[in-house]
Amino acid sequence: MIRLLLGIALAPLAVIVFAASLRCLWSLPGASPSVYPFLGGFALPVAARLVLNMRSSWLGRLVTGFYVLTHEMTHAIATWMGGGKVYGIKAGAHGGSVDVSHVSTFAVLAPYCVPLP
């Protein structure tokens, strides 16, 4: 019950943030020609999600596996750059993991900060 009430209370904020995000994205194309690769990188996964059946098609599994691999690689690279050791990487269409010697905040947040494809 508390989750429902919290969700209802936060719904207007979610609508405002969504509208502000759309407004920002809508104004980007006129800013600079260098923004087009950014918008393409934003639109491509959204289009792939809408078109591909990510779980059952071979192309969907390939795309998902590539995404998971690059995600785990950024964890590994960030750990390595921080002086840690990477013992192993597992990546596949159903998820992945990295076995490292120690964990840092940078290594944990690296997939969201480091632009790896």
Side-chain angles (χ1 to χ4, degrees), residues 9-75:
L10 291 176
L13 179 64
V15 169
I16 291 169
V17 169
F18 182 72
S21 299
L22 285 180
R23 186 174 177 191
C24 286
L25 285 173
W26 196 258
S27 69
L28 280 177
S32 169
S34 63
V35 80
Y36 292 116
F38 169 77
L39 290 176
F42 179 78
L44 187 63
V46 173
R49 265 302 207 205
L50 293 174
V51 172
L52 295 175
N53 185 352
M54 300 304 261
R55 296 262 183 218
S56 63
S57 72
W58 67 270
L59 185 58
R61 288 192 306 274
L62 181 69
V63 169
T64 304
F66 180 72
Y67 169 77
V68 172
L69 177 64
T70 56
H71 178 94
E72 300 304 333
M73 286 295 293
T74 55
H75 286 302

Coordinates of all heavy atoms in Angstrom, one line a residue, residues 9-75:
A9 N 2.2 9.7 -5.5 CA 2.7 11.0 -5.1 C 3.9 11.4 -6.0 O 4.0 12.6 -6.2 CB 3.2 10.9 -3.6
L10 N 4.6 10.5 -6.5 CA 5.8 10.8 -7.4 C 5.4 10.9 -8.9 O 6.3 11.3 -9.7 CB 6.9 9.8 -7.2 CG 7.6 9.9 -5.8 CD1 8.6 8.8 -5.7 CD2 8.3 11.2 -5.6
A11 N 4.2 10.5 -9.2 CA 3.8 10.5 -10.6 C 3.9 11.9 -11.3 O 4.4 12.0 -12.4 CB 2.4 10.0 -10.8
P12 N 3.5 13.0 -10.6 CA 3.6 14.3 -11.3 C 5.1 14.7 -11.5 O 5.4 15.3 -12.5 CB 3.0 15.3 -10.3 CG 2.1 14.5 -9.5 CD 2.7 13.1 -9.4
L13 N 6.0 14.3 -10.6 CA 7.4 14.6 -10.7 C 7.9 13.8 -11.9 O 8.7 14.3 -12.7 CB 8.2 14.2 -9.5 CG 9.7 14.4 -9.5 CD1 10.0 15.9 -9.7 CD2 10.3 13.9 -8.3
A14 N 7.5 12.6 -12.1 CA 8.0 11.7 -13.2 C 7.5 12.4 -14.5 O 8.3 12.4 -15.5 CB 7.4 10.3 -13.1
V15 N 6.3 12.9 -14.6 CA 5.8 13.5 -15.8 C 6.6 14.8 -16.1 O 7.0 15.0 -17.3 CB 4.3 13.8 -15.7 CG1 3.8 14.7 -16.8 CG2 3.5 12.5 -15.6
I16 N 6.9 15.6 -15.1 CA 7.7 16.8 -15.3 C 9.1 16.5 -15.8 O 9.6 17.1 -16.7 CB 7.7 17.6 -14.0 CG1 6.3 18.2 -13.7 CG2 8.8 18.7 -14.1 CD1 6.2 18.8 -12.3
V17 N 9.7 15.5 -15.2 CA 11.1 15.1 -15.6 C 11.1 14.6 -17.1 O 12.0 14.9 -17.9 CB 11.7 14.1 -14.6 CG1 13.0 13.5 -15.2 CG2 12.0 14.7 -13.3
F18 N 10.1 13.8 -17.4 CA 10.0 13.2 -18.7 C 9.8 14.4 -19.8 O 10.4 14.4 -20.8 CB 8.8 12.2 -18.8 CG 8.6 11.6 -20.2 CD1 9.5 10.7 -20.6 CD2 7.5 11.9 -21.0 CE1 9.4 10.1 -21.9 CE2 7.4 11.4 -22.2 CZ 8.3 10.4 -22.7
A19 N 8.9 15.3 -19.4 CA 8.6 16.4 -20.3 C 9.9 17.3 -20.5 O 10.2 17.7 -21.6 CB 7.5 17.3 -19.8
A20 N 10.6 17.5 -19.4 CA 11.8 18.3 -19.5 C 12.9 17.6 -20.3 O 13.6 18.2 -21.1 CB 12.4 18.6 -18.1
S21 N 13.0 16.3 -20.2 CA 14.0 15.5 -21.0 C 13.6 15.6 -22.5 O 14.5 15.8 -23.3 CB 14.0 14.1 -20.5 OG 14.3 14.0 -19.2
L22 N 12.4 15.4 -22.8 CA 11.9 15.5 -24.2 C 12.2 16.9 -24.8 O 12.7 17.1 -25.9 CB 10.5 15.2 -24.4 CG 10.1 13.7 -24.3 CD1 8.6 13.6 -24.4 CD2 10.8 12.9 -25.3
R23 N 12.0 17.9 -23.9 CA 12.3 19.3 -24.4 C 13.8 19.5 -24.7 O 14.1 20.1 -25.7 CB 11.8 20.3 -23.3 CG 11.9 21.7 -23.7 CD 11.3 22.6 -22.7 NE 11.4 24.0 -23.1 CZ 11.2 25.0 -22.3 NH1 10.8 24.8 -21.1 NH2 11.4 26.2 -22.7
C24 N 14.6 19.0 -23.8 CA 16.1 19.1 -24.0 C 16.5 18.3 -25.3 O 17.3 18.8 -26.1 CB 16.8 18.6 -22.8 SG 16.7 19.6 -21.4
L25 N 16.0 17.1 -25.4 CA 16.4 16.3 -26.6 C 15.9 17.0 -27.9 O 16.5 16.9 -28.9 CB 15.8 14.9 -26.5 CG 16.6 14.0 -25.5 CD1 15.9 12.7 -25.4 CD2 18.0 13.7 -26.0
W26 N 14.7 17.6 -27.8 CA 14.1 18.2 -29.0 C 14.9 19.4 -29.4 O 15.0 19.8 -30.6 CB 12.7 18.7 -28.7 CG 11.9 19.0 -29.9 CD1 11.6 20.2 -30.4 CD2 11.3 18.0 -30.8 NE1 10.9 20.1 -31.6 CE2 10.7 18.8 -31.8 CE3 11.3 16.6 -30.9 CZ2 10.0 18.2 -32.9 CZ3 10.6 16.1 -31.9 CH2 10.0 16.8 -32.9
S27 N 15.6 20.1 -28.5 CA 16.4 21.3 -28.8 C 17.8 21.0 -29.2 O 18.5 21.9 -29.7 CB 16.4 22.3 -27.6 OG 17.2 21.7 -26.6
L28 N 18.2 19.8 -29.1 CA 19.6 19.4 -29.4 C 20.0 19.5 -30.9 O 21.1 20.0 -31.2 CB 19.9 18.0 -28.9 CG 20.3 17.9 -27.4 CD1 20.5 16.4 -27.1 CD2 21.5 18.7 -27.0
P29 N 19.2 19.1 -31.8 CA 19.6 19.1 -33.2 C 20.1 20.5 -33.7 O 20.9 20.6 -34.6 CB 18.4 18.6 -34.0 CG 17.7 17.8 -33.0 CD 17.9 18.4 -31.7
G30 N 19.5 21.5 -33.3 CA 19.9 22.9 -33.7 C 21.2 23.4 -33.0 O 21.7 24.4 -33.5
A31 N 21.6 22.7 -32.0 CA 22.8 23.2 -31.2 C 24.1 23.1 -32.0 O 24.8 24.0 -32.1 CB 22.9 22.4 -29.9
S32 N 24.4 21.9 -32.6 CA 25.7 21.7 -33.2 C 25.6 20.4 -34.0 O 24.9 19.5 -33.7 CB 26.7 21.5 -32.2 OG 27.9 21.1 -32.7
P33 N 26.3 20.4 -35.1 CA 26.3 19.1 -35.9 C 26.9 17.9 -35.2 O 26.6 16.8 -35.5 CB 27.1 19.4 -37.2 CG 27.3 20.9 -37.2 CD 27.1 21.4 -35.8
S34 N 27.7 18.2 -34.2 CA 28.3 17.1 -33.5 C 27.4 16.3 -32.6 O 27.7 15.3 -32.0 CB 29.5 17.6 -32.7 OG 29.1 18.5 -31.7
V35 N 26.1 16.8 -32.5 CA 25.2 16.2 -31.6 C 24.5 15.0 -32.3 O 23.9 14.2 -31.6 CB 24.1 17.2 -31.1 CG1 23.1 17.5 -32.1 CG2 23.5 16.8 -29.8
Y36 N 24.6 14.9 -33.6 CA 23.9 13.8 -34.3 C 24.4 12.4 -33.9 O 23.5 11.5 -33.8 CB 23.9 14.1 -35.8 CG 23.1 15.3 -36.2 CD1 23.7 16.4 -36.8 CD2 21.8 15.3 -36.0 CE1 23.0 17.5 -37.1 CE2 21.0 16.4 -36.3 CZ 21.6 17.5 -36.9 OH 20.9 18.6 -37.2
P37 N 25.7 12.2 -33.8 CA 26.1 10.9 -33.3 C 25.5 10.6 -31.9 O 25.1 9.4 -31.6 CB 27.6 10.9 -33.2 CG 28.0 12.0 -34.2 CD 26.8 13.0 -34.1
F38 N 25.4 11.6 -31.0 CA 24.8 11.4 -29.7 C 23.3 11.0 -29.9 O 22.9 10.0 -29.2 CB 24.9 12.7 -28.9 CG 24.1 12.6 -27.6 CD1 24.5 11.9 -26.5 CD2 22.9 13.3 -27.6 CE1 23.8 11.9 -25.4 CE2 22.2 13.3 -26.4 CZ 22.6 12.6 -25.3
L39 N 22.6 11.7 -30.7 CA 21.2 11.3 -30.9 C 21.0 10.0 -31.5 O 20.1 9.2 -31.2 CB 20.5 12.4 -31.7 CG 20.3 13.8 -31.0 CD1 19.7 14.8 -32.0 CD2 19.5 13.6 -29.8
G40 N 21.9 9.6 -32.5 CA 21.9 8.3 -33.1 C 22.1 7.2 -32.1 O 21.5 6.2 -32.1
G41 N 23.1 7.4 -31.2 CA 23.4 6.5 -30.1 C 22.3 6.3 -29.1 O 22.1 5.3 -28.5
F42 N 21.5 7.4 -29.0 CA 20.3 7.4 -28.1 C 19.2 6.6 -28.8 O 18.5 5.8 -28.2 CB 19.9 8.8 -27.7 CG 18.7 8.9 -26.9 CD1 18.8 8.6 -25.5 CD2 17.5 9.2 -27.4 CE1 17.7 8.7 -24.7 CE2 16.4 9.3 -26.6 CZ 16.5 9.0 -25.2
A43 N 19.0 6.9 -30.1 CA 17.8 6.3 -30.8 C 18.0 4.9 -31.2 O 17.0 4.1 -31.2 CB 17.5 7.2 -32.0
L44 N 19.2 4.5 -31.5 CA 19.5 3.1 -32.0 C 19.0 2.0 -31.0 O 18.3 1.1 -31.4 CB 20.9 2.9 -32.4 CG 21.3 1.6 -33.1 CD1 20.6 1.5 -34.4 CD2 22.8 1.5 -33.3
P45 N 19.4 2.1 -29.7 CA 18.9 1.0 -28.8 C 17.4 1.1 -28.6 O 16.8 0.0 -28.4 CB 19.6 1.4 -27.5 CG 20.8 2.3 -27.8 CD 20.4 3.0 -29.1
V46 N 16.8 2.3 -28.6 CA 15.4 2.4 -28.5 C 14.7 1.7 -29.7 O 13.8 0.9 -29.5 CB 15.0 3.8 -28.3 CG1 13.4 4.0 -28.4 CG2 15.5 4.4 -27.0
A47 N 15.2 2.0 -30.9 CA 14.6 1.4 -32.1 C 14.9 -0.1 -32.1 O 14.0 -0.9 -32.5 CB 15.2 2.0 -33.3
A48 N 16.0 -0.6 -31.7 CA 16.3 -2.0 -31.6 C 15.4 -2.7 -30.7 O 14.9 -3.8 -30.9 CB 17.8 -2.2 -31.2
R49 N 15.1 -2.1 -29.5 CA 14.2 -2.7 -28.5 C 12.8 -2.8 -29.1 O 12.1 -3.8 -28.8 CB 14.2 -1.8 -27.3 CG 15.1 -2.1 -26.2 CD 14.8 -3.5 -25.7 NE 15.2 -3.6 -24.3 CZ 15.5 -4.8 -23.8 NH1 15.6 -5.8 -24.5 NH2 15.8 -4.8 -22.5
L50 N 12.4 -1.8 -29.9 CA 11.0 -1.8 -30.4 C 10.9 -2.8 -31.5 O 9.9 -3.5 -31.7 CB 10.7 -0.4 -30.9 CG 10.5 0.6 -29.8 CD1 10.3 2.0 -30.4 CD2 9.4 0.3 -28.8
V51 N 11.9 -3.0 -32.3 CA 11.9 -3.8 -33.5 C 12.2 -5.3 -33.3 O 11.6 -6.2 -33.7 CB 12.8 -3.3 -34.7 CG1 12.8 -4.2 -35.8 CG2 12.3 -1.9 -35.1
L52 N 13.3 -5.5 -32.5 CA 13.8 -6.9 -32.3 C 13.2 -7.5 -31.1 O 12.9 -6.9 -30.1 CB 15.3 -6.8 -32.0 CG 16.2 -6.4 -33.2 CD1 17.6 -6.3 -32.7 CD2 16.1 -7.4 -34.4
N53 N 13.0 -8.8 -31.2 CA 12.6 -9.6 -30.0 C 13.9 -10.0 -29.4 O 14.6 -10.9 -29.8 CB 11.8 -10.8 -30.4 CG 11.3 -11.6 -29.3 OD1 11.6 -11.3 -28.1 ND2 10.4 -12.5 -29.5
M54 N 14.3 -9.3 -28.3 CA 15.6 -9.4 -27.8 C 15.9 -10.8 -27.1 O 17.1 -11.2 -27.0 CB 15.9 -8.3 -26.7 CG 15.8 -6.9 -27.3 SD 16.8 -6.6 -28.7 CE 18.1 -5.8 -27.9
R55 N 14.9 -11.5 -26.8 CA 15.2 -12.8 -26.1 C 15.2 -14.0 -27.1 O 15.9 -15.0 -26.9 CB 14.1 -13.1 -25.1 CG 14.1 -12.1 -23.9 CD 14.8 -12.7 -22.8 NE 14.8 -11.7 -21.7 CZ 15.8 -11.5 -20.9 NH1 16.9 -12.2 -21.0 NH2 15.7 -10.7 -19.9
S56 N 14.4 -14.0 -28.1 CA 14.3 -15.2 -29.0 C 15.0 -15.1 -30.3 O 15.3 -16.1 -30.9 CB 12.8 -15.5 -29.2 OG 12.1 -14.5 -29.9
S57 N 15.2 -13.9 -30.8 CA 15.9 -13.8 -32.1 C 17.4 -13.9 -32.0 O 17.9 -13.4 -31.0 CB 15.5 -12.6 -32.9 OG 16.0 -11.4 -32.3
W58 N 18.1 -14.4 -32.9 CA 19.5 -14.5 -32.8 C 20.2 -13.2 -32.9 O 21.1 -12.9 -32.2 CB 20.1 -15.5 -33.9 CG 20.0 -14.9 -35.3 CD1 18.9 -15.1 -36.2 CD2 20.9 -14.1 -36.0 NE1 19.2 -14.4 -37.3 CE2 20.4 -13.8 -37.2 CE3 22.1 -13.5 -35.6 CZ2 21.0 -13.0 -38.2 CZ3 22.8 -12.7 -36.6 CH2 22.2 -12.5 -37.8
L59 N 19.6 -12.3 -33.7 CA 20.1 -10.9 -33.7 C 19.9 -10.2 -32.4 O 20.8 -9.4 -32.0 CB 19.5 -10.1 -34.9 CG 20.0 -8.8 -35.2 CD1 21.5 -8.8 -35.5 CD2 19.3 -8.1 -36.3
G60 N 18.8 -10.4 -31.8 CA 18.5 -9.7 -30.5 C 19.5 -10.2 -29.5 O 20.0 -9.4 -28.6
R61 N 19.7 -11.5 -29.4 CA 20.7 -12.1 -28.5 C 22.1 -11.6 -28.7 O 22.9 -11.3 -27.8 CB 20.6 -13.6 -28.5 CG 19.4 -14.2 -27.8 CD 19.5 -15.7 -27.6 NE 19.8 -16.4 -28.8 CZ 18.9 -16.9 -29.7 NH1 17.7 -16.7 -29.5 NH2 19.3 -17.6 -30.7
L62 N 22.4 -11.4 -30.0 CA 23.8 -10.9 -30.4 C 23.9 -9.5 -29.9 O 24.9 -9.1 -29.3 CB 24.0 -11.0 -31.9 CG 25.3 -10.5 -32.4 CD1 26.4 -11.5 -32.0 CD2 25.3 -10.4 -33.9
V63 N 22.9 -8.6 -30.2 CA 23.0 -7.2 -29.8 C 23.0 -7.1 -28.2 O 23.8 -6.4 -27.7 CB 21.8 -6.5 -30.3 CG1 21.6 -5.1 -29.7 CG2 21.9 -6.4 -31.8
T64 N 22.2 -7.9 -27.6 CA 22.2 -7.9 -26.1 C 23.6 -8.4 -25.5 O 24.1 -7.8 -24.6 CB 21.1 -8.7 -25.5 OG1 19.8 -8.2 -26.1 CG2 21.0 -8.6 -24.0
G65 N 24.1 -9.4 -26.1 CA 25.4 -10.0 -25.7 C 26.5 -9.0 -25.9 O 27.4 -8.8 -25.0
F66 N 26.5 -8.2 -27.0 CA 27.5 -7.2 -27.3 C 27.4 -6.1 -26.2 O 28.4 -5.6 -25.7 CB 27.3 -6.7 -28.7 CG 28.4 -5.6 -29.0 CD1 29.7 -5.9 -29.2 CD2 28.0 -4.3 -29.1 CE1 30.6 -4.9 -29.5 CE2 28.9 -3.3 -29.4 CZ 30.2 -3.6 -29.6
Y67 N 26.1 -5.7 -25.9 CA 25.9 -4.6 -24.9 C 26.5 -5.1 -23.6 O 27.2 -4.4 -22.9 CB 24.5 -4.3 -24.8 CG 24.2 -3.4 -23.6 CD1 24.5 -2.0 -23.6 CD2 23.7 -3.9 -22.5 CE1 24.3 -1.3 -22.5 CE2 23.5 -3.1 -21.3 CZ 23.8 -1.8 -21.4 OH 23.6 -1.0 -20.3
V68 N 26.1 -6.3 -23.2 CA 26.6 -6.8 -21.9 C 28.1 -6.9 -21.9 O 28.7 -6.6 -20.9 CB 25.9 -8.2 -21.6 CG1 26.5 -8.8 -20.3 CG2 24.4 -8.0 -21.4
L69 N 28.7 -7.4 -23.0 CA 30.2 -7.5 -23.0 C 30.8 -6.1 -22.8 O 31.8 -5.9 -22.1 CB 30.6 -8.1 -24.3 CG 32.1 -8.2 -24.6 CD1 32.8 -9.1 -23.5 CD2 32.4 -8.6 -26.0
T70 N 30.4 -5.1 -23.6 CA 30.9 -3.8 -23.4 C 30.7 -3.2 -22.0 O 31.6 -2.5 -21.5 CB 30.4 -2.8 -24.5 OG1 29.0 -2.7 -24.4 CG2 30.9 -3.2 -25.9
H71 N 29.5 -3.5 -21.4 CA 29.2 -3.0 -20.1 C 30.2 -3.6 -19.1 O 30.8 -2.9 -18.3 CB 27.8 -3.4 -19.7 CG 27.4 -3.1 -18.4 ND1 26.7 -1.9 -18.1 CD2 27.5 -3.7 -17.2 CE1 26.5 -1.9 -16.8 NE2 27.0 -3.0 -16.2
E72 N 30.5 -4.9 -19.2 CA 31.4 -5.6 -18.3 C 32.8 -5.2 -18.6 O 33.7 -5.1 -17.6 CB 31.3 -7.1 -18.4 CG 29.9 -7.6 -18.0 CD 29.4 -7.2 -16.7 OE1 30.2 -7.0 -15.8 OE2 28.1 -7.2 -16.5
M73 N 33.2 -4.9 -19.8 CA 34.5 -4.4 -20.2 C 34.8 -3.1 -19.5 O 35.9 -2.8 -19.1 CB 34.7 -4.3 -21.7 CG 34.8 -5.7 -22.4 SD 36.3 -6.6 -21.9 CE 37.6 -5.5 -22.6
T74 N 33.8 -2.2 -19.4 CA 34.1 -0.9 -18.8 C 34.3 -1.1 -17.3 O 35.2 -0.4 -16.7 CB 32.9 0.1 -19.0 OG1 31.7 -0.5 -18.5 CG2 32.8 0.5 -20.4
H75 N 33.7 -2.0 -16.7 CA 34.0 -2.4 -15.2 C 35.4 -2.8 -15.1 O 36.2 -2.4 -14.3 CB 33.1 -3.5 -14.7 CG 31.7 -3.0 -14.4 ND1 31.3 -2.0 -13.5 CD2 30.5 -3.5 -14.9 CE1 30.0 -1.9 -13.5 NE2 29.5 -2.8 -14.3

